[in-house]
Amino acid sequence: MTLALIVLVVFLIVWFNQSAKIKGNKHTHRKRTITNVPLQDELGAKNFKKIIDDLSALPSSNTLSGDSLMDAIESLYQEYDLPDRRTPEQRTTDRAKYLATISSAREDEEYPMDDSKLPLIDRIWHYPFDAPLIDRPDLLVGIPNTIIEVDGIKYKYDHRGIPTNLYQSIPAKLVGDLEVLLTMRELDAAGYKYSWNRQAANWQRAEIAAEQYKETKKKYPWLYR
């Protein structure tokens, strides 16, 4: 075997191994990063309703307020087997901040001394601030950077399409966190990764753009001459 042939064989072996490695890494990367935003939104709406329904089904649901409301929401982390990612200090701070906000609102007569007559959703979202429409969980996502009003409730969607104005109170933020964690777990079980910006992965968007380019070029070839 000549030296040139030996070099060629070695080159082909190295090239083959590198190609297989790149192909394997590409497959692994895609498997780990594939998203499904429509399914994510569907699961998010379902899980939001589940959380509110589970809280409403508690025997004490009509009297949940202040500490007891926080206790009930925080207990769902254990019930759902989800991690409360806050530190003990953060949990203490959140509760103190929430109780102080209620106390201040009561002093200003913006919040009733006895809130047992308020719907649970208003206690979670801290009446008189807007709470989302429970029978319209589909509105919990929308067109990014837009504002819509439905039945007097404003949904101010941020760059992700999330109405962040409806997650101002501490209990509401915890409900939102529970919904995200439940959705993340269900997406993982289905083979998808949670998309924090509600967009497809970069490689998915690139494939979509490439396919659109091919279709446009085929339909309007004169654009590319």
Side-chain angles (χ1 to χ4, degrees):
M1 184 179 290
T2 66
L3 178 61
L5 184 57
I6 293 174
V7 171
L8 176 61
V9 170
V10 172
F11 170 78
L12 290 175
I13 292 174
V14 172
W15 175 83
F16 178 80
N17 288 336
Q18 288 181 335
S19 297
K21 183 178 180 180
I22 291 172
K23 185 176 181 180
N25 289 342
K26 181 179 180 180
H27 174 74
T28 300
H29 172 72
R30 291 193 170 197
K31 187 175 180 180
R32 288 179 177 175
T33 59
I34 186 170
T35 63
N36 187 331
V37 176
L39 177 60
Q40 177 175 313
D41 292 345
E42 178 185 333
L43 292 175
K46 174 183 73 74
N47 288 323
F48 173 82
K49 187 174 185 305
K50 170 183 172 57
I51 295 165
I52 300 303
D53 287 347
D54 287 347
L55 289 171
S56 300
L58 294 174
S60 59
S61 61
N62 289 333
T63 58
L64 291 177
S65 179
D67 278 316
S68 65
L69 178 59
M70 290 292 290
D71 287 342
I73 295 175
E74 289 176 346
S75 71
L76 291 182
Y77 284 96
Q78 288 75 43
E79 182 176 336
Y80 298 155
D81 191 24
L82 298 172
D84 185 342
R85 296 169 292 179
R86 299 172 299 164
T87 65
E89 292 76 15
Q90 288 173 324
R91 289 195 286 271
T92 299
T93 299
D94 281 349
R95 184 172 296 230
K97 181 179 178 180
Y98 169 59
L99 295 176
T101 300
I102 289 180
S103 177
S104 176
R106 281 174 172 158
E107 289 177 3
D108 295 336
E109 298 183 351
E110 293 179 351
Y111 193 78
M113 295 298 293
D114 178 12
D115 58 10
S116 61
K117 291 183 174 58
L118 292 178
L120 176 61
I121 194 74
D122 284 334
R123 280 175 271 147
I124 294 173
W125 264 261
H126 189 194
Y127 174 87
F129 299 108
D130 285 341
L133 300 170
I134 298 304
D135 59 343
R136 292 294 308 277
D138 56 294
L139 293 174
L140 292 175
V141 293
I143 299 174
N145 302 313
T146 63
I147 299 175
I148 65 172
E149 184 170 336
V150 181
D151 293 347
I153 307 299
K154 284 188 177 181
Y155 289 76
K156 300 178 181 179
Y157 300 109
D158 65 7
H159 65 284
R160 302 165 299 168
I162 304 296
T164 52
N165 65 302
L166 297 180
Y167 291 95
Q168 299 299 312
S169 76
I170 300 298
K173 288 179 180 178
L174 293 179
V175 168
D177 186 51
L178 286 164
E179 177 265 303
V180 167
L181 290 171
L182 286 171
T183 301
M184 287 178 69
R185 184 166 63 191
E186 292 186 35
L187 282 172
D188 181 73
Y192 298 107
K193 182 176 177 60
Y194 189 90
S195 175
W196 293 99
N197 60 6
R198 291 189 57 254
Q199 292 185 13
N202 290 337
W203 64 266
Q204 288 176 289
R205 295 202 298 273
E207 286 190 348
I208 293 172
E211 189 61 32
Q212 290 175 338
Y213 169 80
K214 287 169 57 179
E215 291 180 1
T216 303
K217 186 177 181 180
K218 182 178 180 180
K219 189 174 182 179
Y220 308 106
W222 49 270
L223 278 175
Y224 303 92
R225 291 173 184 165

